[in-house]
């Protein structure tokens, strides 16, 4: 069976998911907040918090609620960090 070629836009989407996922994990770890605590202060479900950490089903509502809870600019989730920045 022949492998399907990935389009450039699909590649960018996967890359964006990886960047957001890494940043969500980083900023949550930096605060030490649990998914349960974040769920309580953001009104997002624990499952949604976990999906954001995995870079899945990203929504602006979820990103903005999480950013507010973590006291960061929502755009910070979309900026790829260098290894020395982390």
């Amino acid at each position: 069976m022949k492998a399907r070629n990935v389009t450039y836009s699909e590649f960018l989407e996967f890359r964006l998911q990886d960047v957001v996922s890494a940043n969500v994990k980083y900023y949550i770890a930096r605060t030490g907040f649990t998914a349960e605590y974040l769920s309580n202060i953001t009104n997002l479900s624990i499952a949604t918090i976990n999906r954001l950490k995995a870079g899945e089903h990203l929504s602006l509502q979820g990103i903005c609620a999480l950013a507010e809870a973590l006291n960061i600019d929502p755009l910070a989730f979309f900026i790829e960090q260098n290894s020395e920045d982390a």
Side-chain angles (χ1 to χ4, degrees), residues 10-21:
E10 289 172 322
F11 169 77
L12 290 178
E13 180 181 346
F14 293 135
R15 187 73 196 113
L16 178 62
Q17 289 172 335
D18 291 343
V19 169
V20 172
S21 174

Side-chain angles (χ1 to χ4, degrees), residues 14-83:
F14 293 135
R15 187 73 196 113
L16 178 62
Q17 289 172 335
D18 291 343
V19 169
V20 172
S21 174
N23 285 328
V24 167
K25 290 175 190 174
Y26 169 76
Y27 287 111
I28 290 175
R30 194 173 76 167
T31 64
F33 293 162
T34 64
E36 182 177 10
Y37 177 75
L38 286 168
S39 175
N40 288 331
I41 64 173
T42 61
N43 291 320
L44 299 172
S45 69
I46 292 173
T48 297
I49 302 287
N50 289 333
R51 283 191 293 269
L52 290 170
K53 288 170 73 174
E56 299 171 352
H57 306 289
L58 301 175
S59 72
L60 288 177
Q61 177 188 4
I63 292 288
C64 290
L66 190 57
E68 184 176 347
L70 298 173
N71 198 31
I72 62 168
D73 185 324
L75 293 176
F77 291 128
F78 297 93
I79 299 170
E80 188 167 15
Q81 303 294 323
N82 295 325
S83 57

